[in-house]
Each structure stands twice: as C-alpha cells, then as structure tokens.
Amino acid sequence: MEVLEPEEWRARAEAHRRRIEVWAEPHLARRARGEAHPIEDFLFTYYGHRPARLRKWHPGAGVVLRGARDFGRDYLDIPEGATLDTEALMDRRGSSIEWITRLLAATEARPGYFGCFGLHEWAMVYKATEVRHEAWPLRLSGEEIEEVVEQRGVRCGHFDAFRFFTPEARPLNALRPTRERQPELEQPGCLHANMDLYKWAYKLSPLVSGELVADCFTLARDIRAVDMRASPYDLSSLGHRAIRIETPEGRAEYAAEQRGFAERARPLRRRLLDACERLLADARLP
C-alpha cells in the first residue's frame, strides 16, 4: 500500500477539482440556459459521466489516504485512514475490466490506420432528412456531401461511430463493425478509439486515479474539436476553422492531426492497460 499524507492527497484532490471546473462550469451554465455546444458539451452528453462524478478525485487502487474518513461508498476506513475496497469493486467489475483489458491490448498491438479522413461524420449526414447537430449549418450542400462520400468511400471500423451512419451510408462502409468485433477492429489511429480512452478511464474509476481520468478527458476534448472541424458542419461562428477533407490539403492536415493524437494516446492507453493488468493480477492472488 502506498500511503499519502493529508497535505498531499488534499492538494491533489483540490488541484483535480480546479482542473475539472474549467470544463464543467461552462457546460452547466449552458445547460441552465438551454444552450448546447457541439464540441464542449459532447463529452458530458454522449458519454454520460456526470460533472459531479468527474470532479470527485480518487487516488486509485492500493493507496491509503492517511487521516481520511468517510471518503466515499467504495472506501474502507482502516486505522491509518481510508482506502478503496478493491476486493468488493473487483467482485462487481471483474468481467468488465477483463473486457476492457482485451480491447486495450488488442488496440495497442495493432498498427494505426490514417486513411479514413474523418468521413464517419459525413456518413452520419449522408442523404439524411435530419441531422444530429441541427442548430449548426452544413458548409456543403446535400449533393456535395453525397459526392464526397461516394467518391472517397468510407472505411470506419469503430462501432460507436458506425451505428450513427444513415441507412444509405452503411452499405458504403468497407467494414462491418459490431460490438462483438470491437477488439478485432479497433486501431490506434482512430479518433474515436482514442477519444474512448476517456470512457474506459471513467469506467475504471475509482480504481484508477483522478489524474488519469482527467488526462484522458483532455485528449478526448481536443480530439472532438478536430472531429467536428473535419465534419461537414460549419462551426466558424464558434471560432473553429474547418479542416476541408474534401481537398488534398485538408486530408493531409487531418492525417497529421490523427497521427499526433495517436502519439498522445499511446502512453494513456498503456497507463490504463497497466492499471487493468495489476488489478486482474492482484485479484487472482490467493
């Protein structure tokens, strides 16, 4: 067990809270006004991890917070302070952690693919009668969007993007992703796979540190901005310049962003995978 002294864990908890407030408070203010932002609100609405839960700092498994008491429902009070009830958490989440471990390990071992050019967002509005972000205009006509999709083709292996494709766009995809095939198809060049590191981090919480969850949130937020900039939506009124993937220059810019995110995601995926492997190894000990 690692033991954190009160001044250390309290400082880390406060630093985490302040870090999250920068993102959470504007989101809550917009929600109170009935407004929505297609980039800044996405991680809270799509992933469904509430701001209050994201604000809560956790040290992760195998750590004692000296002097702490009643730290939360997943914690045990022991003579030295408080620590996670890892055994009970693993009893409830063991199978989920095994699945996350398989997915992360398979993704890490696979080479990145950098030729999709973000056309998943185009496939979500291809021949659509309604669009998800109806408050924001499209920067191309429906006919122009159809032409780009049909000429470039779509090669998306991420199930949670593919499931939002229009019925007309699905047959145009070179792959047939399903939830069951996710460990088979996930690859480290995919923007959505790297954005999902935030999902796996908060699903592992409180067994991983609050800092790791926040690091994954930061990456996902940056990815979401590029994801929407490369989409057919016009977000110039929000200060976001389009990445025009319908042009050679735009495709080169997108691929460069994609490679940068893959590099940033690599150590985060490894930190999550290390945490999963430790948890599973400890759970198997007699």
Side-chain angles (χ1 to χ4, degrees):
M1 285 282 189
E2 178 187 2
V3 179
L4 297 181
E5 299 299 327
E7 58 272 17
E8 181 177 356
W9 65 258
R10 286 174 181 150
R12 285 177 59 182
E14 176 60 19
H16 176 79
R17 186 195 65 78
R18 290 197 305 268
R19 185 181 184 187
I20 299 305
E21 286 302 312
V22 172
W23 307 312
E25 283 304 311
H27 163 71
L28 293 172
R30 283 189 297 272
R31 190 173 71 181
R33 296 192 300 266
E35 298 175 3
H37 193 295
I39 294 173
E40 299 296 340
D41 295 331
F42 177 79
L43 298 187
F44 294 107
T45 56
Y46 174 75
Y47 287 113
H49 192 55
R50 298 190 304 273
R53 297 188 67 183
L54 186 58
R55 284 192 194 102
K56 174 69 175 177
W57 175 79
H58 298 283
V63 179
V64 175
L65 305 177
R66 191 184 297 281
R69 285 290 182 270
D70 300 320
F71 203 74
R73 68 183 183 91
D74 293 315
Y75 287 79
L76 297 172
D77 288 341
I78 61 175
E80 296 87 350
T83 191
L84 276 172
D85 188 351
T86 304
E87 183 176 351
L89 284 164
M90 290 299 293
D91 284 344
R92 297 201 307 268
R93 301 190 189 180
S95 59
S96 174
I97 292 172
E98 287 177 349
W99 190 91
I100 293 171
T101 303
R102 289 196 298 272
L103 177 66
L104 293 173
T107 307
E108 182 184 63
R110 197 166 287 128
Y113 175 70
F114 303 101
C116 69
F117 305 122
L119 280 159
H120 56 276
E121 288 289 341
W122 297 64
M124 294 177 193
V125 299
Y126 176 82
K127 295 186 177 180
T129 54
E130 297 180 357
V131 297
R132 294 181 69 199
H133 304 290
E134 58 184 10
W136 306 99
L138 295 169
R139 58 183 181 81
L140 295 91
S141 69
E143 292 77 13
E144 289 171 323
I145 291 171
E146 291 172 22
E147 183 180 358
V148 171
V149 172
E150 290 165 3
Q151 285 188 356
R152 299 300 312 174
V154 188
R155 190 182 187 280
C156 178
H158 191 78
F159 174 70
D160 284 314
F162 177 72
R163 66 191 178 97
F164 290 108
F165 283 20
T166 64
E168 294 81 3
R170 289 184 180 182
L172 303 178
N173 194 29
L175 302 171
R176 291 293 176 269
T178 62
R179 182 68 69 204
E180 294 72 24
R181 295 187 69 196
Q182 197 167 354
E184 174 191 345
L185 294 176
E186 207 97 315
Q187 50 88 15
C190 173
L191 260 62
H192 277 263
N194 292 330
M195 199 185 307
D196 276 354
L197 292 177
Y198 168 59
K199 176 168 68 174
W200 309 130
Y202 76 69
K203 284 184 177 295
L204 290 168
S205 180
L207 291 162
V208 298
S209 73
E211 288 89 349
L212 179 51
V213 177
D215 288 346
C216 291
F217 185 100
T218 300
L219 175 64
R221 181 174 175 267
D222 292 345
I223 291 174
R224 176 60 178 175
V226 168
D227 199 29
M228 289 304 293
R229 287 175 56 209
S231 78
Y233 292 96
D234 182 357
L235 302 182
S236 58
S237 63
L238 297 175
H240 290 281
R241 177 184 58 81
I243 299 175
R244 299 183 180 277
I245 59 94
E246 66 272 22
T247 69
E249 296 79 11
R251 291 192 291 275
E253 182 181 359
Y254 183 87
E257 293 278 7
Q258 205 174 12
R259 291 180 185 278
F261 288 135
E263 287 300 312
R264 287 176 58 185
R266 182 181 294 114
L268 294 177
R269 184 174 287 109
R270 173 39 55 185
R271 285 165 65 188
L272 289 169
L273 190 51
D274 285 345
C276 288
E277 290 171 344
R278 283 195 301 269
L279 289 166
L280 294 174
D282 289 346
R284 288 192 290 266
L285 292 175

